[in-house]
């Protein structure tokens, strides 16, 4: 067919020197059957495949592949993209605690109309612009304690090779054809919109900007061909789209009838010379989605689609914002079906973060800067607030007052103060040395069972991606510890001496064992805070890095174990008004309050 002889521009930065990939129907290498491919990918993630001579050795642990969207580099990252990545990092850390072989993929999408516009506005060429913005994501991820395994850029050579192979497979399936298209196009969404879904004045309902009339000679993907297969997928596996209300959205889209979508844009629109009318630019979504596959290939290797599938597919979870649900839950699985590749296990569409009741986004110009929040309040506060206070899957609103009150009450008071005053009592009365094993200390006490029940509950919440509920349950453990120490009043028991002092020494061990368990259970949410707790309990950073969820079992603290000098572990956020002890009349009537985090101060 004519399309079979087409040349498409490589997925490079818009405006950069055009590289052309020849998609002339190269020989198709057969992929393994879907069931074998799923098992093989899970067994080989992040490791070399064992030879047949190693068959007698134990099987490697199962893999868990989690992805964020590949973030668009028209502007630096904002709190919306940070929220997705913090959540993905928490899920990945929990899966590592379960001893899964995690591949956590993130990265940047570096082609599209908005990028060319942004680069021109900043006075840079597109490649310089993409390099700067992509690096800003990496820097922010480090600031937010994000431990990703793979960072893919759609300008990477390995990505180009995987796109080439994938396109050839879809082309050979007869699912790409050429046609004219005319409609209303949202530049920010990078897609055409149906008139019935537009707001007043033909505005995009997401970006609130007018959609523009556009007519193009494009290549299309035959999405409508996969209508019934997608319906069967959702019927067979309703957990493919989560949470359930997102599933209902996807079912509605599919039942209303699927339309074929464009996978190309005429190159002349991007300022790239067009020698003839068969030269096109790959459409952003058709190309960018393939980053989830190409990311698994190591840099410098000869990349191919088969290699990408073997290394890290299928994905266990695509974590995305709800605004790109259609692309991931409808377009993407259909594309994979066309290429003969397994679909991901699940797609989770979380809600929007709002500010002043509106979605935050680069296109709307009302972003909340995550770097500013980290600089002011610390990474633990930022991670905890957004994972605890924004119910995962729903929209959530940011309020600075709520932010400060939440992290002070939960992290500084409930958790931080409990550890600090317990270690202080241990230093004063036991020379910072544990007098009993934690198993012996809790013998005959129902407290241990209560903690273990809450730990099991927290694990279940993590497994169900209920991150808010996981935080609430772990905080319940802290509340249980505070209630226990207040009721037992070890400070009074030490003064009485004898058996009362012995019981008090046991009570301190019980609380410190509880804090050890909290440190592990909370580590997916606040890894730095958890490390500070663990090291104050006399453990090393290396010991912390090798922890598993099974280590939440009661009994790790031993008699004779020395605790560290008690130092508050969380910086209580204080306002200048609090520091002065009283507000000025103007401030008392709603004047702006200045806030700062005063180092690690006692709660």
């Amino acid at each position: 067919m004519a399309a079979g002889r087409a040349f498409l521009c490589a997925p490079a930065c818009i405006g950069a020197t055009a590289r052309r990939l020849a998609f002339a129907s190269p020989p198709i290498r057969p992929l393994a059957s879907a069931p074998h491919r799923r098992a093989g990918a899970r067994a080989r993630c992040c490791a070399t495949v064992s030879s047949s001579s190693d068959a007698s050795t134990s099987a490697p642990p199962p893999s868990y592949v989690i992805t964020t969207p590949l973030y668009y580099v028209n502007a630096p990252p904002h709190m919306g993209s940070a929220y997705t990545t913090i959540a993905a990092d928490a899920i990945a850390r929990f899966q590592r605690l379960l001893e899964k072989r995690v591949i956590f993929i993130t990265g940047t999408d570096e082609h599209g109309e908005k990028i060319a516009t942004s680069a021109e506005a900043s006075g840079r060429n597109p490649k310089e612009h993409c390099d700067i913005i992509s690096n800003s994501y990496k820097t922010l991820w480090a600031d937010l304690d994000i431990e990703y395994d793979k960072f893919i850029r759609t300008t990477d050579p390995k990505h180009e090779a995987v796109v080439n192979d994938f396109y050839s497979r879809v082309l050979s399936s007869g699912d790409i054809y050429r046609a004219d298209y005319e409609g209303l196009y949202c530049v920010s969404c990078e897609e055409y919109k149906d008139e019935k879904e537009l707001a007043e004045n033909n505005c995009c309902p997401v970006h609130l900007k007018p959609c523009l009339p556009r007519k193009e000679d494009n290549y299309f993907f035959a999405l409508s061909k996969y209508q019934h297969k997608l319906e069967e997928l959702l019927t067979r596996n309703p957990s493919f789209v989560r949470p359930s209300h997102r599933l209902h959205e996807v079912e509605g889209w599919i039942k209303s009838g699927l339309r074929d979508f464009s996978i190309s844009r005429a190159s002349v629109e991007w300022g790239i010379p067009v020698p003839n009318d068969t030269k096109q630019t790959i459409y952003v979504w058709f190309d960018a989605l393939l980053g989830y596959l190409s990311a698994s290939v190591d840099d410098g290797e000869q990349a191919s689609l088969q290699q990408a599938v073997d290394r890290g597919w299928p994905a266990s979870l695509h974590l995305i914002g709800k605004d790109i649900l259609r692309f991931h839950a409808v377009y993407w699985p259909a594309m994979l079906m066309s290429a003969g590749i397994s679909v991901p296990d699940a797609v989770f569409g979380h809600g929007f973060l709002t500010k002043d009741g509106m979605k935050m986004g680069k296109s709307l110009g009302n972003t909340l800067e995550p770097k500013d929040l980290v600089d002011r309040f610390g990474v633990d506060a930022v991670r905890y607030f957004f994972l605890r206070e924004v119910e995962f899957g729903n929209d959530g609103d940011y309020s600075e007052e709520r932010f400060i009150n939440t992290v002070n009450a939960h992290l500084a008071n409930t958790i931080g103060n409990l550890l600090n005053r317990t270690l202080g009592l241990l230093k004063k009365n036991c020379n910072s040395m544990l007098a009993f094993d934690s198993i012996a200390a809790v013998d005959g006490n129902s407290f241990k069972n209560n903690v273990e029940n809450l730990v099991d509950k927290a694990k279940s919440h993590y497994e169900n991606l209920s991150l808010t509920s996981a935080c609430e349950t772990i905080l319940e453990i802290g509340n249980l510890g505070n209630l226990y120490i207040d009721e037992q009043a070890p400070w009074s028991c030490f003064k009485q001496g004898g058996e009362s002092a012995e019981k008090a020494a046991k009570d301190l061990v019980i609380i410190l064992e509880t804090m050890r368990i909290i440190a592990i259970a909370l580590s997916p949410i606040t890894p730095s805070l958890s490390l500070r707790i663990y090291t104050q309990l006399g453990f090393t950073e290396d010991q912390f890095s090798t922890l598993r969820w099974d280590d939440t079992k009661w009994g790790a603290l031993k008699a004779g174990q020395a605790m560290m000098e008690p130092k508050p572990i969380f910086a209580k956020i204080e306002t200048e008004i609090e520091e002065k002890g009283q507000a000025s009349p103007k401030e008392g009537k709603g004047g702006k309050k200045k806030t700062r985090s005063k180092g690690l101060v006692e709660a």
Side-chain angles (χ1 to χ4, degrees), residues 487-498:
E487 289 178 342
Q488 303 305 316
W491 48 88
S492 296
C493 293
F494 277 121
K495 293 177 182 178
Q496 297 172 24

PDB file of all heavy atoms in Angstrom, residues 487-498:
ATOM      1  N   GLU A 487      -1.278   6.573  79.349  1.00  0.00           N
ATOM      2  CA  GLU A 487      -1.975   5.764  80.352  1.00  0.00           C
ATOM      3  C   GLU A 487      -1.006   5.109  81.331  1.00  0.00           C
ATOM      4  O   GLU A 487      -1.266   5.028  82.537  1.00  0.00           O
ATOM      5  CB  GLU A 487      -2.818   4.691  79.664  1.00  0.00           C
ATOM      6  CG  GLU A 487      -4.044   5.239  78.936  1.00  0.00           C
ATOM      7  CD  GLU A 487      -4.820   4.138  78.229  1.00  0.00           C
ATOM      8  OE1 GLU A 487      -4.250   3.046  78.009  1.00  0.00           O
ATOM      9  OE2 GLU A 487      -5.998   4.385  77.880  1.00  0.00           O
ATOM     10  N   GLN A 488       0.147   4.648  80.815  1.00  0.00           N
ATOM     11  CA  GLN A 488       1.101   3.929  81.666  1.00  0.00           C
ATOM     12  C   GLN A 488       1.982   4.874  82.478  1.00  0.00           C
ATOM     13  O   GLN A 488       2.499   4.495  83.531  1.00  0.00           O
ATOM     14  CB  GLN A 488       1.987   3.002  80.814  1.00  0.00           C
ATOM     15  CG  GLN A 488       1.210   1.987  79.991  1.00  0.00           C
ATOM     16  CD  GLN A 488       0.271   1.140  80.818  1.00  0.00           C
ATOM     17  OE1 GLN A 488       0.645   0.670  81.908  1.00  0.00           O
ATOM     18  NE2 GLN A 488      -0.952   0.932  80.333  1.00  0.00           N
ATOM     19  N   ALA A 489       2.148   6.087  82.006  1.00  0.00           N
ATOM     20  CA  ALA A 489       2.931   7.114  82.712  1.00  0.00           C
ATOM     21  C   ALA A 489       4.253   6.579  83.252  1.00  0.00           C
ATOM     22  O   ALA A 489       4.500   6.581  84.460  1.00  0.00           O
ATOM     23  CB  ALA A 489       2.099   7.707  83.847  1.00  0.00           C
ATOM     24  N   PRO A 490       5.161   6.130  82.376  1.00  0.00           N
ATOM     25  CA  PRO A 490       6.419   5.558  82.850  1.00  0.00           C
ATOM     26  C   PRO A 490       7.262   6.535  83.659  1.00  0.00           C
ATOM     27  O   PRO A 490       8.060   6.119  84.510  1.00  0.00           O
ATOM     28  CB  PRO A 490       7.126   5.134  81.553  1.00  0.00           C
ATOM     29  CG  PRO A 490       6.469   5.936  80.469  1.00  0.00           C
ATOM     30  CD  PRO A 490       5.066   6.114  80.907  1.00  0.00           C
ATOM     31  N   TRP A 491       7.120   7.822  83.424  1.00  0.00           N
ATOM     32  CA  TRP A 491       7.887   8.809  84.191  1.00  0.00           C
ATOM     33  C   TRP A 491       7.554   8.727  85.677  1.00  0.00           C
ATOM     34  O   TRP A 491       8.447   8.880  86.514  1.00  0.00           O
ATOM     35  CB  TRP A 491       7.620  10.213  83.651  1.00  0.00           C
ATOM     36  CG  TRP A 491       6.161  10.518  83.447  1.00  0.00           C
ATOM     37  CD1 TRP A 491       5.288  11.023  84.366  1.00  0.00           C
ATOM     38  CD2 TRP A 491       5.412  10.300  82.251  1.00  0.00           C
ATOM     39  NE1 TRP A 491       4.032  11.150  83.813  1.00  0.00           N
ATOM     40  CE2 TRP A 491       4.075  10.718  82.515  1.00  0.00           C
ATOM     41  CE3 TRP A 491       5.719   9.806  80.977  1.00  0.00           C
ATOM     42  CZ2 TRP A 491       3.056  10.643  81.556  1.00  0.00           C
ATOM     43  CZ3 TRP A 491       4.721   9.743  80.036  1.00  0.00           C
ATOM     44  CH2 TRP A 491       3.400  10.151  80.318  1.00  0.00           C
ATOM     45  N   SER A 492       6.311   8.422  85.973  1.00  0.00           N
ATOM     46  CA  SER A 492       5.924   8.250  87.383  1.00  0.00           C
ATOM     47  C   SER A 492       6.390   6.909  87.926  1.00  0.00           C
ATOM     48  O   SER A 492       6.838   6.805  89.074  1.00  0.00           O
ATOM     49  CB  SER A 492       4.400   8.359  87.529  1.00  0.00           C
ATOM     50  OG  SER A 492       3.951   9.645  87.169  1.00  0.00           O
ATOM     51  N   CYS A 493       6.310   5.883  87.082  1.00  0.00           N
ATOM     52  CA  CYS A 493       6.704   4.535  87.519  1.00  0.00           C
ATOM     53  C   CYS A 493       8.190   4.468  87.838  1.00  0.00           C
ATOM     54  O   CYS A 493       8.604   3.775  88.784  1.00  0.00           O
ATOM     55  CB  CYS A 493       6.334   3.512  86.457  1.00  0.00           C
ATOM     56  SG  CYS A 493       4.557   3.303  86.223  1.00  0.00           S
ATOM     57  N   PHE A 494       9.017   5.185  87.076  1.00  0.00           N
ATOM     58  CA  PHE A 494      10.454   5.180  87.367  1.00  0.00           C
ATOM     59  C   PHE A 494      10.719   5.780  88.748  1.00  0.00           C
ATOM     60  O   PHE A 494      11.611   5.320  89.484  1.00  0.00           O
ATOM     61  CB  PHE A 494      11.212   5.971  86.299  1.00  0.00           C
ATOM     62  CG  PHE A 494      11.521   5.178  85.059  1.00  0.00           C
ATOM     63  CD1 PHE A 494      11.058   5.583  83.817  1.00  0.00           C
ATOM     64  CD2 PHE A 494      12.285   4.018  85.134  1.00  0.00           C
ATOM     65  CE1 PHE A 494      11.342   4.867  82.676  1.00  0.00           C
ATOM     66  CE2 PHE A 494      12.577   3.293  83.986  1.00  0.00           C
ATOM     67  CZ  PHE A 494      12.099   3.709  82.743  1.00  0.00           C
ATOM     68  N   LYS A 495       9.956   6.782  89.125  1.00  0.00           N
ATOM     69  CA  LYS A 495      10.151   7.411  90.434  1.00  0.00           C
ATOM     70  C   LYS A 495       9.800   6.455  91.574  1.00  0.00           C
ATOM     71  O   LYS A 495      10.377   6.536  92.666  1.00  0.00           O
ATOM     72  CB  LYS A 495       9.294   8.672  90.536  1.00  0.00           C
ATOM     73  CG  LYS A 495       9.727   9.790  89.595  1.00  0.00           C
ATOM     74  CD  LYS A 495       8.791  10.988  89.704  1.00  0.00           C
ATOM     75  CE  LYS A 495       9.199  12.092  88.737  1.00  0.00           C
ATOM     76  NZ  LYS A 495       8.253  13.245  88.800  1.00  0.00           N
ATOM     77  N   GLN A 496       8.877   5.531  91.327  1.00  0.00           N
ATOM     78  CA  GLN A 496       8.448   4.587  92.359  1.00  0.00           C
ATOM     79  C   GLN A 496       9.475   3.487  92.587  1.00  0.00           C
ATOM     80  O   GLN A 496       9.540   2.902  93.677  1.00  0.00           O
ATOM     81  CB  GLN A 496       7.096   3.974  91.986  1.00  0.00           C
ATOM     82  CG  GLN A 496       5.964   4.986  91.899  1.00  0.00           C
ATOM     83  CD  GLN A 496       4.680   4.392  91.340  1.00  0.00           C
ATOM     84  OE1 GLN A 496       4.468   3.170  91.430  1.00  0.00           O
ATOM     85  NE2 GLN A 496       3.824   5.241  90.771  1.00  0.00           N
ATOM     86  N   GLY A 497      10.286   3.181  91.565  1.00  0.00           N
ATOM     87  CA  GLY A 497      11.305   2.157  91.698  1.00  0.00           C
ATOM     88  C   GLY A 497      10.713   0.762  91.738  1.00  0.00           C
ATOM     89  O   GLY A 497       9.511   0.547  91.585  1.00  0.00           O
ATOM     90  N   GLY A 498      11.601  -0.249  91.936  1.00  0.00           N
ATOM     91  CA  GLY A 498      11.172  -1.638  92.067  1.00  0.00           C
ATOM     92  C   GLY A 498      10.470  -2.154  90.827  1.00  0.00           C
ATOM     93  O   GLY A 498      10.891  -1.915  89.685  1.00  0.00           O
TER      94      GLY A 498
END
